[in-house]
Amino acid sequence: MTELVGRMSFGEPRVDRSAQLTVPPAERDIAYDPPPTADSPHVRAARVLEANWTGTSTVPSRGLYPHQWSWDSAFIAIGLRHLSPLRAQAELETLLDAQWGDGRIPHIVFNPSVPLDAYFPSPDFWRSSTAGRTAGAPRTVQTSGIVQPPVHALSAWLVHRADPVLSRARGFLTRVYPRLAAWHRYLLHRRDLGGGGLASVVHPWEQGMDNSPCWDAPLSRVTPAPARSFRRADLDHGAAEDRPTDLDYGRYVRLAADYRDGGYADGTGDFAVEDPAFNALLIASEHALARIARELGATGTARHARAERLTAALIERLWEPAEGMFLCRDLRGDGPAGELVPERGVAGLVPLLLPTLPRDITAALVRTAHGPHFGLGGTTRLAPSYDLLGEAFDPHRYWRGPAWFNTNWLLERGLRTHGERERADALRRAMVGLADASGFAEYVDPYTGEACGATGFGWTAALALDLLHDEPARDTSDVPECAVEDLAVKEFKGGNRG
């Protein structure tokens, strides 16, 4: 990386260097703005992304996660756009090349050069090209059969904005737009399992917060696969006390195997949950798709309208005023419409990202984030993944308490969107400082900032880089809702609706 840093370019015209995606790292120019010092957080973050680059995509972690993950790549592209807009475009294009015929974007795209025993569940478990044939799984690449949160259109729009000239010259948005539109159609139609307009997840891995206590009740009805039927490769790279339990893992395996054996058909499994973060990201990406449509010559009006309908459905089905936050809805629970899960996870704060939430809801979310249950800016440096006062809280065990950088990046964007500039600035400083100090850890203890999980983690480095490059956006709290045009980091124009 030393030689690479010595070759950084600060003002040269951006041209298509697709050949550079396969040349040795020392021969690859990376453009920085502003120019970093030789040993700055910018350079340290860039080293992580360079080390995790495979030539066509970025792995989250070389040891623990040696393939391409869906929402990881979306977040990673947001940071990569500051280093190389071309590489950021390639990141998303590689992922979309593995899209299924029914529109789903799989949560893992497997690298055939990685040994099967390096990660479980491996390609021979998912059997995508055979079990997923009816759903249109690709034949030339092996993938998983489940999905992850739809950050992709938002990511694509931000990547385009990083270098519109390059993007237009390559036809980047023209090529990705129909694929992203198909992805949203799949979620809005095939995954509306509750009939209320929201997308459902059919496996905890789809929501991304794998072992959150929010899943304990919905998972309790799932009979776990026998422990002898699988081998957990994750324990080769992380402490058992930081990872999901064997019981949780057995239930994950059972759900995935049943979904596979049913030909990846939706709506028949024992697990179906409407999650606030998953749907908030779908809404954010609908707004982004509207902006992409406008860039391509359409009006985008229908997509903005759809985003507003989804926002209304999110509030109607998942908002809980008494808790001051959104909750998950277990569609397999008691009652004709399922039941809300009475657990406070960080997913319930993520809708703060949305620019047209009513003012009373945004105010309640800010109070909850900074109150005793999450302690942001007070007892905790970053928002934890789960309620500090919850019986299941554990500051080190995966999504049962530690703080994650992607969820905090979303909260920082949300705070800034709704005029909470000082709180957003404080969170931004904490994120950048802890990311660097922890060695760009996968997640951290929310109280101490102690590194947990893998270090040199892809999205931690990418999102820290994004915050390092981004000047805090102006206060937008007095901008009327009719001015909502963009969900880009600097381009938020959404106001509050009373």
Side-chain angles (χ1 to χ4, degrees):
M1 186 68 190
T2 303
E3 187 173 349
L4 174 63
V5 172
R7 290 176 55 82
M8 289 174 185
S9 168
F10 307 119
E12 65 176 357
R14 292 189 175 113
V15 297
D16 190 331
R17 298 192 180 91
S18 56
Q20 290 185 344
L21 297 177
T22 57
V23 298
E27 298 178 26
R28 196 182 295 121
D29 289 340
I30 295 183
Y32 283 78
D33 183 21
T37 60
D39 191 28
S40 69
H42 294 76
V43 172
R44 288 190 286 273
R47 287 191 182 115
V48 170
L49 296 178
E50 182 67 19
N52 292 357
W53 175 249
T54 67
T56 55
S57 64
T58 308
V59 298
S61 164
R62 282 289 182 181
L64 186 55
Y65 305 107
H67 302 285
Q68 183 179 25
W69 261 257
S70 173
W71 76 324
D72 289 76
S73 278
F75 284 120
I76 286 167
I78 290 171
L80 275 177
R81 67 194 174 112
H82 300 292
L83 305 181
S84 168
L86 177 62
R87 188 183 294 186
Q89 292 176 30
E91 185 80 36
L92 295 174
E93 289 166 346
T94 300
L95 179 66
L96 290 171
D97 282 345
Q99 186 172 22
W100 289 30
D102 64 3
R104 80 181 75 192
I105 297 175
H107 99 295
I108 303 175
V109 181
F110 290 105
N111 183 340
S113 68
V114 174
L116 285 178
D117 62 357
Y119 182 81
F120 178 84
S122 52
D124 56 343
F125 172 89
W126 294 103
R127 306 170 201 162
S128 60
S129 59
T130 54
R133 184 181 297 113
T134 302
R139 296 183 179 181
T140 57
V141 62
Q142 293 296 312
T143 75
S144 65
I146 60 175
V147 303
Q148 277 192 321
V151 198
H152 312 88
L154 176 57
S155 178
W157 177 246
L158 294 176
V159 167
H160 165 77
R161 291 299 299 266
D163 192 337
V165 174
L166 175 65
S167 175
R168 290 168 187 145
R170 297 188 68 245
F172 171 64
L173 292 182
T174 301
R175 286 180 288 108
V176 302
Y177 178 80
R179 297 186 179 192
L180 294 171
W183 166 224
H184 285 209
R185 281 195 302 274
Y186 168 77
L187 293 174
L188 292 169
H189 297 289
R190 298 285 294 277
R191 289 301 189 89
D192 183 10
L193 304 182
L198 297 182
S200 301
V201 296
V202 299
H203 195 291
W205 288 338
E206 293 198 314
Q207 193 267 358
M209 304 178 192
D210 303 11
N211 67 328
S212 168
C214 298
W215 310 136
D216 289 355
L219 277 175
S220 65
R221 66 179 66 94
V222 177
T223 302
R228 64 181 180 277
S229 66
F230 59 91
R231 177 187 174 276
R232 295 181 56 179
D234 63 317
L235 297 181
D236 295 339
H237 304 280
E241 59 268 22
D242 289 353
R243 306 292 299 174
T245 65
D246 285 344
L247 177 61
D248 285 336
Y249 225 87
R251 287 173 168 148
Y252 303 154
V253 172
R254 172 72 68 185
L255 278 175
D258 288 350
Y259 192 39
R260 175 200 66 204
D261 295 344
Y264 296 110
D266 294 312
T268 61
D270 293 330
F271 185 97
V273 175
E274 293 174 349
D275 173 74
F278 192 99
N279 281 281
L281 291 169
L282 176 59
I283 294 166
S285 281
E286 270 295 310
H287 280 299
L289 271 185
R291 293 291 285 158
I292 294 172
R294 288 181 58 182
E295 167 69 21
L296 298 177
T299 65
T301 304
R303 292 206 173 274
H304 277 311
R306 183 178 294 115
E308 287 307 299
R309 290 196 299 273
L310 287 167
T311 301
L314 182 73
I315 295 169
E316 179 183 353
R317 293 183 65 81
L318 304 185
W319 174 246
E320 180 49 77
E323 302 292 349
M325 64 186 299
F326 292 87
L327 301 179
C328 297
R329 181 174 292 277
D330 177 8
L331 297 178
R332 300 292 185 256
D334 295 334
E339 59 185 352
L340 291 177
V341 179
E343 299 285 358
R344 301 179 184 90
V346 72
L349 302 177
V350 169
L352 188 62
L353 176 72
L354 303 177
T356 60
L357 283 180
R359 186 183 299 274
D360 61 328
I361 291 181
T362 61
L365 289 171
V366 172
R367 287 194 300 271
T368 301
H370 293 83
H373 293 287
F374 292 90
L376 185 58
T379 56
T380 63
R381 303 177 69 181
L382 301 181
S385 50
Y386 178 66
D387 182 2
L388 298 171
L389 305 180
E391 292 184 6
F393 174 78
D394 184 330
H396 283 193
R397 190 179 288 278
Y398 217 43
W399 288 98
R400 302 181 79 84
W404 290 71
F405 290 89
N406 64 328
T407 53
N408 278 271
W409 182 87
L410 293 169
L411 292 179
E412 194 272 352
R413 300 292 85 179
L415 289 168
R416 201 171 298 287
T417 297
H418 294 287
E420 296 285 347
R421 180 181 295 174
E422 290 185 6
R423 284 176 164 145
D425 287 348
L427 181 53
R428 181 176 182 267
R429 288 191 297 269
M431 285 184 65
V432 170
L434 284 175
D436 191 32
S438 68
F440 302 98
E442 184 179 2
Y443 49 98
V444 296
D445 183 309
Y447 293 120
T448 67
E450 176 188 350
C452 302
T455 55
F457 199 72
W459 75 29
T460 303
L463 296 176
L465 190 65
D466 184 63
L467 294 176
L468 283 164
H469 278 263
D470 176 45
E471 290 297 326
R474 62 184 176 86
D475 188 344
T476 63
S477 58
D478 60 349
V479 179
E481 65 175 283
C482 62
V484 175
E485 294 180 3
D486 198 353
L487 291 179
V489 172
K490 291 185 181 179
E491 310 300 328
F492 268 107
K493 298 180 182 178
N496 294 315
R497 182 173 63 195

